[in-house]
Every structure is written in structure tokens, then in C-alpha cells.
Amino acid sequence: MTEKQNLRVLTIDDSRTMQGMLRKALEEAGYDVIQGADGVEGIEVLESADPPPKVIITDINMPRMDGFGVIETVRKMSQFKHLPVIVLTTESDPEKKAKARAAGATGWIIKPFSSDSLIAAIRRVTA
Amino acid sequence: MDDILQIFFQECDEQLQELERGLSALSDGESEHETVNAVFRAVHSIKGGAASFGLENLVRFSHVFENSLDGLRSERFAPTPEVVKTFLKAMDVLSDLVSEARGGNTVDPARVAESQAELAAISDSGDQSAASSALAATEAAIPQDFTPIPMDFEPISADFEPVPVDLDFGELAALAPAALIVTFRPHDALYERGDDARNILIGLTDIATEAGGQIEVTCDRSALPPLADLIPGKSYLSWRVVLPADASEDSANAVFDWVSDTCDFTLTRDEADDTTPADSALEHPLDQAEPETTDSLTEMDLAEPHLHDDAVAPLASATPLVPSIAAAAQPAAGGVHAAARKPEQASIRVDLHRIDNLMDLVGELVIAQAAIESLSRRTDASGQHELVQSISSMQSLTRDIQDAVMAVRAQPVRSVFQRMQRVVREASSMTNKNIVLLLEGEDTEVDRTLVEKLTDPLTHMLRNAVDHGIESEEARIAAGKPAEGHIVLSAEHRSGRILITIKDDGAGINRQRVFDTAVKRGIIPPDASLTDEEVYNLIFMPGFSTAATVSNLSGRGVGMDVVKQAIQSLGGRITISSVPGKGTTFGFSLPLTLAILDGMLIAAAGSTMVLPISAVIETMIVNQRDIYALPDGSNVVSIRGDCMPLIPLATALKLSSASSPESFHNAVILVVENEAGARAALVVDEIRDQTQVVIKSMESNYRPIFGVSAATILGDGSVSLILDVSALVASAIGQIDTKSANIRAGLAA
Amino acid sequence: MTEQTAVAEVADDMIVKMIVFAIGVQEYCIPILSVREIRGFEKTTTLPFAPPYVCGAINLRGIILTVIDLAIYLNVPPQTDNPRRVVVIVESKEGVVCGLLVDRVIDMADINMNDVQAVSEEGSCLGGLVLVGDRMIGILRLETVVGQLVGDTVSE
């Protein structure tokens, strides 16, 4: 059971409430959490993170750079192009979902999320 | 969770401000896409958080609001003044719903419903057909009914070897009847998305576990080229997975939900499953040459055995993975209802660079301290000289750190300014006036404690401006003015203080009426000769009200004197200027912080005391011939023709007995001024220094003292009193208000 | 919990640990739990309009508090040149902190509240008298003394 430990997750969300909940849920599950407050900051955190995260959880609606931008940017970075990116959003709009999928999202979680579903989604893409 | 709820409410406040700012910009005719986005995001964010806490009223309303804003965002309708007005109203409702969730007053459901209906009407007014057709197009673009491409699956080929993932529990034989067989072949795209076939296998394992069984996996490596020809990133493998009979198609489908476009898969029920699990050991994944980069290969190397081990414990116990993702739309367990039981924790958000700056300074301070310490051990003359230099550089560092800390505590006045929009909106609707509030200098920063304390006085002043400042629409038109009234609320830094002005374009203060009222109320004698400013200041006197009819707005039993008291207690001054027919301007001049004061150290009756420098006009040596003794024992001094009361400080504070006029000869005097501009000359023993002092309250452990506003601690550790200039001046010119008179009477007794 | 310990607790409740000090020849005491610390008497800053028994204000690690000269307060001639005078820093139940200037601190005593004899009506600063050995000790009512300081009672 060392799998979760030290497994680093990058969460990108402009809502501090959401960031707080993510941090709490993830840290309780034994993950190491790093955070970015919008797409631009998220990518900065990703680039400078040592060790790099094993999965990114990103919101869609954010200032400066939205979630689609995050996915597209990550997919263009040679060292991260296979990094799982899970979209966490209140959007249930199929159009957005298709767009995220096309951009290269690895998963999709609808807010509000339960701790279990979040952990399950992360496990699914990082096991 | 409580702490996160607190963050949520704090964030709600910020989002509401953001919303207010955005909507104001829209009503000013701005239509930047980013502004609309920010407005949308604010509501969206509140909704998202509220949903997490199960705050249903808030979620429901913000959802409708958001939908409406989405229409604006997608340009289905334009931000006309009507639309913005509806949004502003909705914002007020939203703000009240946030307070409600916080444990405040319950919002009238009728108001919520009304606003919701208005929002819905706006949304409907947008091009509905365009909206629905866009949606239809979207739906068409998504393969809802994905037809799986049948795989060419050859069970036994030359280099095909079944790879069972042996999970070591349940009997294999039990699988035989109606097993669910899943085959899947990921596309290259699946890997490009950071996904992996093993994630699907885990999902399937969970379904099997849920169904009380296990999975049997065979991997088809037939398409795998020799290593030399292998292209990294290409998908060569496919899998066949046998699930227990109890496993449902739905849950298996759910595993493929997200990858349906990047993975071919089939689901079949097979009565006679003839795949015999081979005994062969788990193939090393590296041999399979997973289409992954080298990095990921190493990762897989580690991950694969996990799948094996984990199946026994965590996977078996975990709830089914993918289905629960799909079901996550339900509100999180344990919704929080209107709850802020704990007192709000005060916290501020600070720019990182300000903290960094502070850290740098503290670093320098540590170095400076070390230097002083080592220098202090040297006894030679040059050491002494360097010590003095080091101490002086430490002094300037301390000053810098103080500024840096103040910068950390500083907040723009925006939050309180924006709250005034609502005040004016509500007040104008109550008085049937059409008034626009313009904000200027919202970015001006002051100490956060001050920001908070400005709300009440400003609310009062703006209500007053709406009620009494701006004329009725008819009167404005008759006077040849635009029907719409304007109030400008602005803030700026001016010589170490913040100046807040409230300027209206109303009728101005009616000097005669104010004067008559004051006479009628017995505030001034009928023959008083007063300057304009003095007359205007009468409206701040207790018990004064010029409103011919007490409107339901200002007839709340609170007079302008409360505003003056509040501003004075913040160390502020109020100025008034008014031009008949053109409007009135009120100015609040306030210190930037309530914690630190620029003071002048003086001595009186053997004690060192502090005078706020802001109150000191000039200092001089008085000449005996300029002093006139009055019959009641008091004295006046004439300074360049201006007569003002002479206040021997020690006597005024009853620290020494009355002094004779002769003793004032060559005495040091300070000309001080109170908020109303009244002056007096304080006689002190000497002027010692000018310094910044930290303001300490005395009232927590003692009572208010007449003539003293607070205390401070001097460099030698002793306590020094900070003088209340306005009280001293007021008592000298015989205009002490009842409150301070009572305090003085009580204390002097 | 056994009955025995319960009985013991009730008995403990009657015993209050007091700090005993002298003002002139008379001894007084206050509960040790209200005492924050004891420090030497230093120069105070005179306060305008203060009652005569208020010596002035001092700085206790950044907090400003006033010192009451208990001798003047209790109408006993103050021993201005007594080097043993100390300031007992006390905190009232309402959280008001102040210093009491006493002539000297004597010792600590366990006072059984059942033995206290009432001497005056409510509101007086003297809560009662108690005999410890052959010493008659006055129990000072802190709330009255401190209450007058913060001004919820206007002083004489």
C-alpha cells in the first residue's frame, strides 16, 4: 500500500473552496498535493514541480487559461504529453465534454464530487 | 470541513465583488469579452462551491443566474441597461442568499422567485431557436450510440499466449455460465491522452470484484511487430477479458464511457466460455512493448505487479470505480445547511511579492543584528563608530519592515466602495430617484481594519446624498439639469492620509435652512455669526435634521452626528463644501492605519505625551503681550491677528494647578486644529521629538480619559499618553458635546 | 467514580489557595488563580483625572495597565520608601488586568471558605475576614476593586 503515498497530484482550480476540498480529500487519501490557481499558474507549477505530478486535475472555467488550454498545453509538452489529465467541472454540457475529450483529457469528474469518486478516478488513471 | 466552508464564504464575498465590478463595467457600456466571462465565472464559482456543501437555495438560484449569464456570454442577447439591471438585482438576491447560507436572515422566497423569473425571461428573450439548434448540433457530434467495431480476434495465433491476471480468489469454474466477455483495442489516441489500457483493466477488475468474482485477461499480441520495428506511441495490443456472470453490461459500458472514441470494444455474453486459463506466468509487460515512452515503460513495470497485489485488498474493497464517477453528480454526502456557527476567522489574501519583500527585509534585519552584536564586543573607537552606523541602518530597516507589514495589511477600498452601489441602488429606488454612483480610485489601499470601519459611515453618507443631496427628478428637470443624478465616490492618497470624497450634483446645502434649523433646535443662538463651513458643519451636530419630511430612508433615528463620531474615532476629519444648485462634496480625511500614528513627543507636568502630528498646525514661542486674560480665568492668545483659546496642557488635564498668565511668557505653544477647523494653542513644557508610535488602547484595562485618545509605549518601555486634540479644543472653545462632558464630569469627580 | 472521592471533591471546593500580602499592619489575601505575576514597583505614568489610588499606567510586555495603590485605596498611609513594595498583577473574571501595589507579599494560605466571616454588605471591597492561626486576614473582593477601575462604577 505504498502506491498512494508520495503520489503527487496537481490540482488546478481558481476556486479556493474547491482547492481546499481537493486538498483535503487527496491528502486524507495519502496523496501529495500541489496546486495552481489558474491554467497559467498550473502549467508553471507543473514545469517547476520536482518530482513532477503523476496526474493533473483541472477545472474548465478559469481566468487567464481555461482547462482546455491546460490540456492542450500539457499534451504539447514532450515530458508530459502522456500525463493523465482529469477534468473536474460543474459542466455537464456534452459539448464541453466532447471538447475536453478532443483536447486530450483522460477523465471527467462532475462537481460536486465525493472523495471516493475522486480517488477512484485518480486510481483509474494512475494505477 | 468547517474551515473549507469558511473559505467558501470568503470566496463568495470576493466573487460577489467581482460580479459587482463586472456588472458595473457592463452598465457603463463596456462589453469586453473578458468582463462578461469574469461575471459568468463569479456566479459559476459560487454555484460550484454551494453544490459541494449542499446549499440548495444558493445552488438553485445561482444555476438560473448562471444560465442567464451564459446567454450573455454566448451573445444570444446584448447587455442592454434593462438586462444589466436585472442582473444587478439578481446579484443582490444572490448576495442575500449567501448571507442566508452563512446563518443570516432568511431571504424572502418571493423575492428569489421574482428575480428568477426575470432571469428566465431574459434567457428566453435570447434567440431560442439558435440556442436549441446549437445544442442539437452538439449532441449530433457526440457518438451517443457507439457501434463497436468487431475485432478480429484470433484466440490462438503463433505468438499469442493468453496472459491471465490471476487474482487468486473465487473459483474459476464459477465463471462458466453466462460470463460477460469484453474485448477492447485501444487506439493510439487513448495513449496520447495519458490514458492506459491497464486503467480499463482496473475498471473491469472492480466490476468483477463487485460482482463477487474475478477477471480473466488474455492479451493479444499478434499485431506486435519485432522490437526493431516497434514505433513508440503506437497501439499494438488488444485484450479479451472474461467477467463473472453477475457483472452487468451497464457497468462494463461505463468503463468505456470516456474512452469510447479512442478504444474499440465489444461486450458479449457467452454461455460456453471455452477460453481455458493457461497456467503461464504473468508476462512481463516490457515484453509486450506497450506503446508508451520509455519513461512510462518503467512506470508500468512497477504498476503491473500492483494490479496483482492490489486486487486482493484495495481494489476488492473499493467501490466500483467508473460507475461512481458517473454517479458523482449527486451532491456530496453530508450537505451543510446554513451554518457558520464558529465566529468568522479573519484572514486576508496577500500578494506573494509583498510577503517576499517582507522576508527579504527580515533577512537583512537578521544580518544587521549579527553585525551589531559582533561590533558591540569591540571596544575600540572605530568599532564604536561602526556600531552607530549599524544601528542607524537597522533603524531604517525597521522602518522598511514596518512599511512592508503595512503593505501586507493594506487592502484596496474597492470592497467597501462596491458595496455602496447597492446602497445607492436601494436608496434611489426607495426615493424614486434615478441616480448613478460612480466610483473612482477603488484601488487606493488602506489598512484592512480601516476598510471595514468605513462601511457604516459611507453607507450613511450615501443614503444622505440620495435622500437629501440629489433633488427629485422634476426639480432637476426644472433646474435644467439632467434627470439622472450623479454621485461620485472617490478615494485617493494625499500626504500620508487617505482622502475619501462623496460628491453629488444635487441642489447643494441650503445655508439659511440649516442655520434656521440649528437656531430652532437651540444648537446656536439666533445672532450667531458663522462662516459657510461652520454652518455646514451644523448638520453633524447631534439632534440636527434638515429633512422637512422624515423619509423612511433617513428617518431611522440615526443622525449625521454618528457619522462624524465614527470618522473622528478613526482619527479622521470631515470637510464640507457646497455650491448652491451645483451640489455638495463631503471629504473624509483618514489615517492609513489605525495601528501607527505619526506623533510629536511633548512634555507637560513632567510627563512625555504624544500629539498626532496631523493635528498640529505650527509650533512657536509665545510672547506675553499676545496673551489676554479673560474674566473667567481662561486666556486667549492672538497669533498673527487670529484669536484662539490658550490651553495650558498640564492644567487642562488637571495634572497641575492653574497657572497665571505671567507664567506663559516665552512658553512653548502648539497651534492645533480639530476636525471642524477650530483652533487652540496648547502650552507645553517642551517639544521633545517627532516619531511614529504604535497605538495601544487603554480602554480594555481602564476607562476612557478626557483629553486622551489612547496610549503608546516609548523606546524606554514607559507608557506615554496620546492626546485627543479634538476633545481638548472642543472643551476650550466651549463646544464640548454632551458625551465628553459627561466623561469629564465623571472622571474629574 | 466512588462516593468517597466525590465527598473529597466537595471538601476541596471549600479550600481556596490564596496569596497573602500586607497593607500597613493589616493582612489581605486574594485567590492565587487570579494572580498573573508579581513584579517590582517601577515608575508609572500619571493619568489625568485618575482617582487618587490610581498610581498610573505601566507597560506589561506591550499591554498597558494601571496600578492601584492598595494602601491609598484602603485608607492606610502609603509606605513610599518601603523597598519591599511589589506590584501583584491580577486579572479579574471579566478579563481586566491591573496591578495592585502592596507593601509586601507574605505567604500563601489554604483558606477554607466556610471559615470566612462576613463583615460588610455586598459591593464592599472587603469580602470577609478569616482567622488563619492567630492572624486575622481580610479577603479582598477583586471584582469590586477592578470594577471601579474600568468605570462601570463611577468612582468617588
Side-chain angles (χ1 to χ4, degrees):
Chain A
M1 274 308 292
T2 52
E3 159 217 356
K4 282 185 198 167
Q5 263 118 47
N6 309 323
L7 200 144
R8 184 168 263 207
V9 182
L10 167 60
T11 65
I12 308 176
D13 201 312
D14 59 328
S15 153
R16 278 178 293 130
T17 310
M18 217 34 82
Q19 289 283 42
M21 299 184 82
L22 283 168
R23 180 176 285 282
K24 188 176 152 82
L26 292 172
E27 284 181 350
E28 275 172 7
Y31 290 97
D32 173 23
V33 183
I34 51 176
Q35 305 190 305
D38 59 41
V40 174
E41 195 183 306
I43 295 297
E44 281 167 13
V45 170
L46 174 66
E47 282 176 320
S48 57
D50 182 31
K54 290 285 191 251
V55 60
I56 297 176
I57 297 176
T58 183
D59 184 26
I60 289 286
N61 244 306
M62 293 182 289
R64 297 212 288 173
M65 182 198 281
D66 65 9
F68 303 125
V70 169
I71 301 168
E72 278 157 17
T73 311
V74 169
R75 293 286 168 253
K76 277 184 211 139
M77 296 164 89
S78 59
Q79 71 275 40
F80 293 121
K81 65 180 177 200
H82 293 296
L83 187 67
V85 180
I86 299 174
V87 172
L88 175 67
T89 175
T90 48
E91 307 270 2
S92 44
D93 182 355
E95 189 184 352
K96 295 278 170 53
K97 201 164 169 175
K99 195 173 165 192
R101 207 192 292 241
T106 322
W108 179 275
I109 308 176
I110 305 278
K111 287 184 211 170
F113 60 90
S114 71
S115 243
D116 286 348
S117 64
L118 174 72
I119 305 299
I122 293 176
R123 284 176 47 90
R124 197 185 82 75
V125 299
T126 58
Chain B
M1 216 53 175
D2 265 11
D3 46 343
I4 300 176
L5 188 62
Q6 286 314 315
I7 295 176
F8 168 64
F9 285 136
Q10 200 181 50
E11 206 163 36
C12 278
D13 289 345
E14 290 164 17
Q15 299 294 358
L16 285 168
Q17 276 179 35
E18 195 65 36
L19 185 59
E20 173 110 49
R21 185 176 354 178
L23 290 177
S24 311
L26 289 178
S27 76
D28 292 349
E30 196 198 300
S31 57
E32 286 281 320
H33 197 60
E34 194 34 55
T35 307
V36 178
N37 267 339
V39 163
F40 175 84
R41 233 180 359 248
V43 176
H44 178 80
S45 199
I46 292 177
K47 180 183 117 181
S52 304
F53 293 104
L55 302 167
E56 284 181 26
N57 286 349
L58 198 50
V59 175
R60 218 172 297 127
F61 186 78
S62 47
H63 182 73
V64 176
F65 198 171
E66 183 190 3
N67 271 349
S68 217
L69 287 169
D70 194 41
L72 181 65
R73 192 168 63 149
S74 47
E75 290 169 2
R76 289 205 291 275
F77 52 84
T80 61
E82 282 313 303
V83 165
V84 174
K85 212 163 178 178
T86 304
F87 284 157
L88 283 167
K89 200 167 150 190
M91 178 186 73
D92 293 345
V93 173
L94 185 66
S95 155
D96 289 347
L97 283 169
V98 169
S99 319
E100 176 188 288
R102 227 168 183 158
N105 294 336
T106 310
V107 184
D108 178 10
R111 231 181 102 215
V112 178
E114 186 193 322
S115 181
Q116 270 185 12
E118 288 172 0
L119 288 170
I122 292 185
S123 308
D124 289 347
S125 73
D127 189 348
Q128 211 159 15
S129 59
S132 49
S133 70
L135 193 67
T138 314
E139 273 159 4
I142 297 163
Q144 294 287 357
D145 299 306
F146 178 77
T147 322
I149 301 158
M151 279 177 63
D152 185 12
F153 186 74
E154 271 181 281
I156 314 288
S157 75
D159 28 352
F160 175 67
E161 242 179 312
V163 183
V165 175
D166 188 353
L167 297 165
D168 260 343
F169 58 90
E171 309 88 331
L172 289 181
L175 292 179
L180 180 64
I181 298 173
V182 178
T183 64
F184 67 95
R185 192 185 65 194
H187 303 171
D188 298 349
L190 182 131
Y191 298 100
E192 281 161 11
R193 224 184 247 172
D195 211 335
D196 199 299
R198 68 173 184 270
N199 299 333
I200 298 170
L201 288 170
I202 290 171
L204 294 172
T205 307
D206 284 341
I207 294 169
T209 312
E210 182 88 333
Q214 59 179 21
I215 59 166
E216 185 197 321
V217 182
T218 40
C219 175
D220 181 357
R221 299 185 303 162
S222 55
L224 194 66
L227 190 60
D229 301 338
L230 191 136
I231 304 163
K234 247 189 117 48
S235 171
Y236 296 104
L237 301 178
S238 59
W239 281 265
R240 180 171 189 267
V241 180
V242 182
L243 292 165
D246 287 347
S248 75
E249 276 92 344
D250 283 355
S251 49
N253 263 318
V255 171
F256 292 97
D257 176 46
W258 182 255
V259 293
S260 58
D261 59 332
T262 51
C263 181
D264 303 332
F265 71 102
T266 63
L267 297 180
T268 43
R269 287 279 177 192
D270 191 0
E271 287 292 330
D273 177 30
D274 59 353
T275 315
T276 326
D279 285 336
S280 60
L282 187 70
E283 291 258 339
H284 195 283
L286 219 115
D287 297 342
Q288 298 173 18
E290 260 306 304
E292 286 271 326
T293 57
T294 339
D295 273 353
S296 315
L297 275 176
T298 350
E299 214 183 294
M300 263 198 76
D301 198 359
L302 298 167
E304 199 73 8
H306 274 148
L307 176 61
H308 204 71
D309 305 340
D310 282 356
V312 188
L315 282 197
S317 61
T319 45
L321 299 177
V322 180
S324 68
I325 298 175
Q330 302 159 356
V336 180
H337 304 287
R341 288 161 212 98
K342 271 195 275 180
E344 264 180 72
Q345 279 205 331
S347 63
I348 44 169
R349 300 187 70 194
V350 179
D351 265 351
L352 200 57
H353 76 263
R354 293 192 174 176
I355 301 279
D356 289 346
N357 180 29
L358 188 57
M359 271 314 291
D360 291 348
L361 288 169
V362 170
E364 281 182 54
L365 186 68
V366 170
I367 296 166
Q369 188 200 340
I372 289 176
E373 208 175 305
S374 80
L375 286 168
S376 67
R377 286 194 215 100
R378 281 168 55 180
T379 47
D380 54 301
S382 77
Q384 281 302 312
H385 179 67
E386 282 175 48
L387 186 61
V388 170
Q389 277 188 334
S390 281
I391 288 172
S392 92
S393 82
M394 190 138 158
Q395 272 165 349
S396 85
L397 260 176
T398 312
R399 182 84 189 211
D400 290 348
I401 289 176
Q402 185 191 312
D403 290 346
V405 172
M406 299 245 304
V408 165
R409 290 181 54 93
Q411 274 195 326
V413 291
R414 169 172 291 117
S415 58
V416 57
F417 267 33
Q418 280 180 349
R419 238 174 288 172
M420 294 308 129
Q421 288 285 9
R422 179 174 185 176
V423 170
V424 169
R425 210 156 48 234
E426 288 179 347
S428 15
S429 100
M430 281 172 84
T431 50
N432 280 323
K433 290 177 186 171
N434 192 2
I435 297 172
V436 174
L437 173 66
L438 300 170
L439 303 180
E440 284 171 10
E442 306 107 286
D443 286 323
T444 312
E445 290 189 328
V446 286
D447 196 87
R448 61 171 259 113
T449 47
L450 199 66
V451 173
E452 285 156 9
K453 289 182 174 152
L454 277 173
T455 310
D456 286 347
L458 283 182
T459 303
H460 215 87
M461 290 305 295
L462 283 163
R463 282 206 184 119
N464 181 73
V466 170
D467 204 9
H468 306 305
I470 306 270
E471 321 90 315
S472 69
E473 212 162 302
E474 305 81 61
R476 289 182 68 87
I477 293 167
K481 288 180 170 183
E484 190 181 69
H486 287 85
I487 302 174
V488 181
L489 176 60
S490 68
E492 63 179 299
H493 279 154
R494 195 177 280 176
S495 56
R497 288 172 79 84
I498 181 171
L499 184 68
I500 294 177
T501 53
I502 300 134
K503 185 176 172 194
D504 67 54
D505 66 349
I509 297 175
N510 186 330
R511 189 189 193 283
Q512 195 52 48
R513 205 165 75 196
V514 169
F515 189 91
D516 293 348
T517 311
V519 172
K520 205 162 67 196
R521 302 276 147 90
I523 296 168
I524 48 166
D527 57 347
S529 136
L530 298 174
T531 65
D532 283 352
E533 174 115 20
E534 281 166 340
V535 171
Y536 299 154
N537 265 296
L538 290 171
I539 67 171
F540 287 110
M541 296 302 286
F544 185 92
S545 170
T546 48
T549 53
V550 175
S551 69
N552 56 354
L553 196 59
S554 23
R556 293 184 183 178
V558 193
M560 298 278 274
D561 54 317
V562 175
V563 173
K564 185 169 188 180
Q565 257 175 36
I567 295 299
Q568 283 184 345
S569 75
L570 298 174
R573 288 193 288 261
I574 302 181
T575 56
I576 311 172
S577 67
S578 186
V579 180
K582 296 272 187 225
T584 307
T585 305
F586 289 94
F588 294 170
S589 158
L590 294 150
L592 294 178
T593 173
L594 302 179
I596 291 167
L597 175 95
D598 274 306
M600 184 175 277
L601 298 188
I602 54 105
S607 288
T608 303
M609 298 182 195
V610 182
L611 269 169
I613 282 188
S614 58
V616 179
I617 306 297
E618 62 180 323
T619 61
M620 59 175 64
I621 306 286
V622 76
N623 197 313
Q624 177 70 52
R625 64 167 185 270
D626 294 330
I627 297 172
Y628 308 92
L630 300 180
D632 65 352
S634 64
N635 297 281
V636 292
V637 61
S638 157
I639 295 166
R640 290 185 296 273
D642 271 351
C643 274
M644 61 187 79
L646 191 68
I647 311 173
L649 190 56
T651 318
L653 294 175
K654 295 276 192 299
L655 293 172
S656 70
S657 50
S659 27
S660 63
E662 293 73 43
S663 64
F664 296 137
H665 185 58
N666 281 345
V668 178
I669 61 165
L670 295 105
V671 178
V672 292
E673 189 181 66
N674 71 0
E675 281 74 22
R679 294 186 177 187
L682 287 179
V683 181
V684 301
D685 295 350
E686 61 171 313
I687 293 167
R688 294 204 163 138
D689 203 357
Q690 275 190 22
T691 185
Q692 284 200 322
V693 297
V694 178
I695 300 171
K696 301 265 179 189
S697 164
M698 292 207 59
E699 291 176 28
S700 51
N701 289 322
Y702 195 60
R703 55 195 159 198
I705 305 172
F706 167 78
V708 175
S709 59
T712 189
I713 295 163
L714 298 179
D716 63 359
S718 67
V719 175
S720 177
L721 302 175
I722 299 171
L723 298 172
D724 181 352
V725 169
S726 66
L728 289 168
V729 174
S731 89
I733 58 179
Q735 280 193 340
I736 2 163
D737 63 51
T738 40
K739 189 184 160 210
S740 55
N742 286 342
I743 291 170
R744 194 168 61 148
L747 288 167
Chain C
M1 188 180 278
T2 66
E3 208 176 36
Q4 227 176 350
T5 57
V7 168
E9 269 176 21
V10 169
D12 274 351
D13 276 349
M14 296 298 160
I15 307 283
V16 179
K17 223 180 212 350
M18 298 277 197
I19 183 163
V20 184
F21 48 80
I23 308 290
V25 292
Q26 178 63 53
E27 291 181 23
Y28 293 92
C29 66
I30 52 171
I32 192 95
L33 284 176
S34 58
V35 177
R36 271 200 180 183
E37 65 182 89
I38 296 173
R39 44 175 21 223
F41 179 56
E42 290 157 21
K43 184 177 145 289
T44 59
T45 299
T46 313
L47 298 176
F49 309 107
Y53 57 82
V54 172
C55 300
I58 58 164
N59 155 31
L60 179 74
R61 289 180 295 276
I63 301 168
I64 293 174
L65 46 93
T66 43
V67 176
I68 295 175
D69 189 332
L70 273 185
I72 299 175
Y73 186 85
L74 296 165
N75 283 318
V76 176
Q79 307 175 352
T80 36
D81 46 3
N82 173 3
R84 297 182 67 183
R85 289 208 300 178
V86 289
V87 176
V88 182
I89 310 286
V90 296
E91 183 171 347
S92 77
K93 286 191 188 108
E94 288 78 34
V96 177
V97 182
C98 76
L100 302 177
L101 178 61
V102 303
D103 289 343
R104 69 193 159 99
V105 170
I106 300 170
D107 58 3
M108 239 107 71
D110 288 329
I111 308 279
N112 189 331
M113 296 311 280
N114 289 325
D115 299 344
V116 176
Q117 298 170 33
V119 289
S120 59
E121 70 284 10
E122 281 293 302
S124 151
C125 64
L126 195 63
L129 288 171
V130 66
L131 203 58
V132 175
D134 56 351
R135 298 148 63 193
M136 183 64 84
I137 300 175
I139 303 202
L140 206 64
R141 209 180 264 146
L142 212 53
E143 271 56 47
T144 310
V145 181
V146 176
Q148 281 173 342
L149 204 59
V150 283
D152 26 63
T153 319
V154 172
S155 60
E156 281 305 304

